[in-house]
Amino acid sequence: MSSQKLQNVAIVGAGGQVGKPTLQALLDTKRFNITVVTRESSSTKFPSDSSITVKSANYDSHDSIVSALKDNEALILMLNFEAMGQVQLQIIDAAADAGVKWILPTEFGADSANQGLVDMVPINAMRTEPRKRIEEAAKTHPGLSWIGVVNNPWFEYSLKGGFFGIDFKNKAATFYDEGTTRFNTTLIGTVGLAVARLLSLPIEATSGPSLSKYANKFIYISSFHTTQREILEAVQKATNTTDSDWTVKKASAQAWIDEGNEKVAKGDFSGMINLLYGAVMKEGLGGDFEATRGTSNEVLGLPKEDMVEVIKKIVEA
Ligand SMILES: NC(=O)c1ccc[n+]([C@@H]2O[C@H](COP(=O)([O-])OP(=O)(O)OC[C@H]3O[C@@H](n4cnc5c(N)ncnc54)[C@H](OP(=O)(O)O)[C@@H]3O)[C@@H](O)[C@H]2O)c1
């Protein structure tokens, strides 16, 4: 019993930004029967592999989702922003009725246990209800639990998008405050690896890690515990440039956040970037979860990455 592990795992959003590397990491373990659940209307293509079964479901039909999820012990939800609300709740209700016991809801971002971050960023706030729904469902579906994966900004996504305030194409950087706020950031592939390793843990264990120890809790993972200044230094090393090649300025992190709030209030969604990254890069708001919560990198055997080498691949891509 103590060494029993999961075998049947379903994933929704398996063709998405984080879903794709997660599906690959699940496949690489060679230990799961994987059910990929996709919208009936979706044109997403999935790898053809004997351990993958693709099931289309109508997310407005409870029975359709229950049928797609039947016989699965775990469900990974990696849904697009538009589906994080009502659609996710419908899938959770169906997962409970299908007998799923472990749900990884659509987290994969900031520390949802930090109420300040939840209140500050509307996208973060959307993550609360799905977890509550799982807890509610667990009252009538004993043994149902969630595990929330917290990884902060995805490193390559954020660097490519210029969201760290570092634009490597135009060699321009903006440090918020002093650019010395330490925060965590994770490679997308490492998120996928972490999910596969987490679901590979024994369900119960008297000693050592187990899935049950994370039941209804967050698990924190990170590739880099760094600052804007350290990222710029690594970008310069990776691109053989120096300060003299770059335009570097400073801005107030709070003013950036305020601008984000104003944009969002006017319906300009681009302000969400200011809020998401301001929350991480302004001192004391909770971007450094490693200091407050620690990480489970070691438990999951996550790789130690060399930032310069990682950036070389990003800029060459
Ligand atoms: N930490 C970060 O830096 C960061 C960055 C971006 C996102 N995130 C978070 O990561 C999670 C997953 O985001 P993602 O960017 O990987 O998602 P995504 O690629 O935008 O979408 C994932 C999947 O959602 C499904 N989907 C799309 N629109 C849908 C709709 N209207 N209804 C139902 N399903 C729909 C699609 O799957 P099918 O085609 O198979 O149906 C799609 O492949 C979210 O929580 C997001 O906030 C984190």
Side-chain angles (χ1 to χ4, degrees):
M1 174 66 190
S2 67
S3 63
Q4 201 181 336
K5 293 185 176 183
L6 300 179
Q7 276 191 327
N8 299 324
V9 171
I11 175 167
V12 178
Q17 297 194 86
V18 69
K20 203 169 177 177
T22 302
L23 177 60
Q24 190 56 51
L26 291 170
L27 273 175
D28 290 345
T29 66
K30 300 192 191 312
R31 48 163 297 109
F32 296 116
N33 303 316
I34 305 163
T35 301
V36 165
V37 181
T38 184
R39 288 166 295 168
E40 276 177 340
S41 60
S42 175
S43 54
T44 309
K45 299 273 175 276
F46 303 100
S48 118
D49 188 286
S50 58
S51 54
I52 297 181
T53 307
V54 179
K55 292 193 178 166
S56 296
N58 172 358
Y59 294 164
D60 290 325
S61 156
H62 183 80
D63 291 348
S64 172
I65 318 173
V66 171
S67 153
L69 291 176
K70 216 171 142 288
D71 299 327
N72 279 290
E73 301 151 282
L75 169 63
I76 305 159
L77 288 164
M78 290 181 157
L79 284 161
N80 172 268
F81 163 74
E82 281 181 31
M84 276 169 70
Q86 188 53 33
V87 171
Q88 183 165 214
L89 297 179
Q90 287 162 199
I91 299 175
I92 286 168
D93 291 346
D97 283 347
V100 169
K101 294 296 176 212
W102 298 92
I103 301 181
L104 273 55
T106 308
E107 292 277 338
F108 311 104
D111 181 5
S112 291
N114 180 326
Q115 195 56 42
L117 293 179
V118 172
D119 295 339
M120 177 177 168
V121 188
I123 289 188
N124 294 349
M126 289 176 70
R127 299 197 164 106
T128 304
E129 204 182 347
R131 294 194 315 275
K132 283 198 176 149
R133 190 72 155 241
I134 297 166
E135 288 172 8
E136 198 53 40
K139 291 179 185 162
T140 47
H141 299 79
L144 174 63
S145 305
W146 58 264
I147 301 176
V149 177
V150 176
N151 46 239
N152 257 8
W154 299 335
F155 184 77
E156 57 280 74
Y157 169 91
S158 307
L159 192 64
K160 277 191 234 163
F163 307 141
F164 287 140
I166 296 168
D167 174 353
F168 61 81
K169 285 194 182 122
N170 295 306
K171 299 192 191 65
T174 303
F175 288 143
Y176 293 104
D177 297 336
E178 294 304 315
T180 52
T181 302
R182 196 157 291 282
F183 59 89
N184 293 97
T185 165
T186 309
L187 292 163
I188 303 180
T190 302
V191 178
L193 184 63
V195 168
R197 298 248 168 106
L198 172 66
L199 296 181
S200 300
L201 292 176
I203 299 170
E204 306 273 355
T206 37
S207 65
S210 68
L211 264 184
S212 298
K213 288 185 183 146
Y214 289 105
N216 300 320
K217 293 196 177 90
F218 293 98
I219 182 164
Y220 296 83
I221 58 161
S222 169
S223 299
F224 303 114
H225 187 218
T226 190
T227 67
Q228 278 190 288
R229 281 185 186 265
E230 287 178 3
I231 297 173
L232 178 60
E233 206 179 302
V235 170
Q236 290 181 343
K237 278 191 189 147
T239 55
N240 284 318
T241 55
T242 63
D243 275 351
S244 62
D245 302 304
W246 283 70
T247 309
V248 180
K249 60 178 185 175
K250 282 192 206 171
S252 150
Q254 189 56 52
W256 196 46
I257 291 167
D258 293 344
E259 181 194 305
N261 274 319
E262 280 163 30
K263 282 185 174 174
V264 171
K266 286 185 201 146
D268 176 355
F269 199 69
S270 71
M272 205 63 80
I273 294 294
N274 305 39
L275 299 181
L276 282 163
Y277 287 84
V280 166
M281 299 195 291
K282 183 173 177 343
E283 192 68 46
L285 296 186
D288 181 357
F289 57 65
E290 190 158 336
T292 50
R293 321 269 188 207
T295 74
S296 290
N297 283 14
E298 223 165 281
V299 169
L300 302 178
L302 299 183
K304 288 198 193 324
E305 305 284 351
D306 178 327
M307 194 190 285
V308 176
E309 292 308 314
V310 165
I311 294 173
K312 277 185 190 162
K313 287 189 198 136
I314 295 171
V315 298
E316 281 159 16

